[in-house]
Every structure is written in C-alpha cells, then in structure tokens.
Amino acid sequence: MSSHSHDETRSRSHDEEMNVARARARQDDEHDDRMKRQRIRDDDSSSSSEDNSQDDRRHKKKRDRSKKKKRSRSYSSSDSSSSSESDYRRKKHRKHHEKKRRRNKDTRKSKKRESDSGSCQEVRRSVITGKKIKMKIDKTKEDIAQDEARRNFLKFMNSSVP
C-alpha cells in the first residue's frame, strides 16, 4: 500500500510540474509576441511616412474587425449591461410602434363601422373578414318558381328510385 500512495504523490507532483512548465511556456510565448509587435512598431516608425500611414490603416482595419467580433460575442453574453440596455431600448421602441399601428387600425375600423352603421341598423359582420353578413334575402317571383320546380324534380327522382 505504501508504494501505491508513493506512486500517486509522484504522479501528482509530476502533473503539477507539467502545469507550471505549460504556464511558463505560455508566458514566454506572450512575451515573444509582445516583443515582435514592439519591433514592428519600431520598424514602422523608421520607414517613410507613406508606408507608415498605409500600414497604420491596415492595422487599424484589423483592430476594428477584431473589436467587432469581440462586441458581437459580448452581446450574446448576459453580463454586458450596455448591450442589454440597447436591446431594452430596441424592444421598447418596437412595442411603441406596434401600439401606434394598432391604434391607427382601430380608429380606421371604427370610423368605417360608424359610416356603415348609419345607413343600416344592427348589421352582423364576419369575424374573420369583417364583411357584412346578409341574414335575409328577399326572394323574387322567379326565385320562388325555381324553388318549387326544384322540389318537384327531387320528389320525382326520389320516387323513381327502387
């Protein structure tokens, strides 16, 4: 048992050493990157002003792109208060316009109903389309004659069926 626990402690210390080595390597890489950037800046400042301005523009564009990417990532996270404020403003603005539209539609409909209802009393309307529903149609003499002929024809057809 003691050899087993000794192996575990040895492997733990080895893992810790590896983690420390990785951290040092990361720090060295970051330091090297910083030094390269510094050298590039120094080289750019010693070159001609035209080259310098073009390089600055190029680097600025790259920085802007990376900032946009970072912003879009940060908007998705819930911890950024500025994005939540702008979202809140957008939603509030949208709701306000939707309410305005509804009010305008309602006033138009009510004006239309008032003008229609002035000529007729109690007109039923379709729930879906809003069109007037005619409840009763006055039949002419021709309509009554057609209905009578239809009834007689149906009686004849039904009587002839075995």
Side-chain angles (χ1 to χ4, degrees):
M1 287 215 169
S2 64
S3 66
H4 183 65
S5 63
H6 183 67
D7 289 340
E8 284 181 2
T9 56
R10 190 183 306 158
S11 66
R12 283 185 194 158
S13 63
H14 178 71
D15 289 341
E16 290 172 0
E17 287 175 8
M18 291 299 293
N19 288 338
V20 169
R22 285 186 196 122
R24 283 185 190 149
R26 237 182 275 127
Q27 287 174 347
D28 290 341
D29 289 342
E30 290 172 1
H31 179 72
D32 291 340
D33 289 340
R34 274 189 246 124
M35 294 304 291
K36 284 179 186 177
R37 280 189 238 126
Q38 184 64 38
R39 277 189 231 120
I40 290 170
R41 282 188 211 128
D42 292 340
D43 291 342
D44 284 346
S45 63
S46 65
S47 66
S48 68
S49 62
E50 288 181 12
D51 293 341
N52 194 8
S53 64
Q54 286 178 351
D55 289 342
D56 286 344
R57 286 184 205 135
R58 201 175 304 129
H59 288 295
K60 188 175 181 181
K61 283 182 182 179
K62 284 183 181 180
R63 273 187 257 131
D64 290 343
R65 285 186 203 132
S66 66
K67 282 181 184 177
K68 284 180 183 177
K69 286 179 184 177
K70 287 178 185 176
R71 278 189 213 135
S72 65
R73 287 183 201 139
S74 69
Y75 286 146
S76 63
S77 66
S78 62
D79 61 340
S80 63
S81 62
S82 64
S83 67
S84 63
E85 287 174 12
S86 62
D87 289 343
Y88 174 74
R89 285 186 194 133
R90 256 187 254 122
K91 286 178 184 176
K92 193 171 183 179
H93 185 73
R94 193 179 306 137
K95 283 182 182 179
H96 175 70
H97 281 285
E98 286 174 3
K99 283 183 181 178
K100 245 186 177 178
R101 283 189 206 128
R102 280 190 216 126
R103 275 189 234 135
N104 288 340
K105 277 186 179 180
D106 291 342
T107 55
R108 278 188 225 134
K109 284 182 181 179
S110 64
K111 285 179 185 176
K112 201 174 192 181
R113 285 184 191 142
E114 288 171 5
S115 65
D116 290 342
S117 66
S119 61
C120 290
Q121 295 175 350
E122 290 299 316
V123 177
R124 288 192 66 185
R125 293 187 172 271
S126 167
V127 176
I128 297 167
T129 61
K131 293 182 180 179
K132 291 180 186 178
I133 299 172
K134 293 184 179 179
M135 295 302 291
K136 187 176 180 182
I137 299 173
D138 297 328
K139 291 188 179 183
T140 62
K141 290 180 182 178
E142 293 171 356
D143 293 333
I144 294 169
Q146 283 179 346
D147 287 345
E148 188 64 33
R150 184 173 176 276
R151 270 189 237 114
N152 289 336
F153 180 71
L154 287 172
K155 281 181 187 175
F156 172 73
M157 293 298 285
N158 287 333
S159 65
S160 65
V161 176

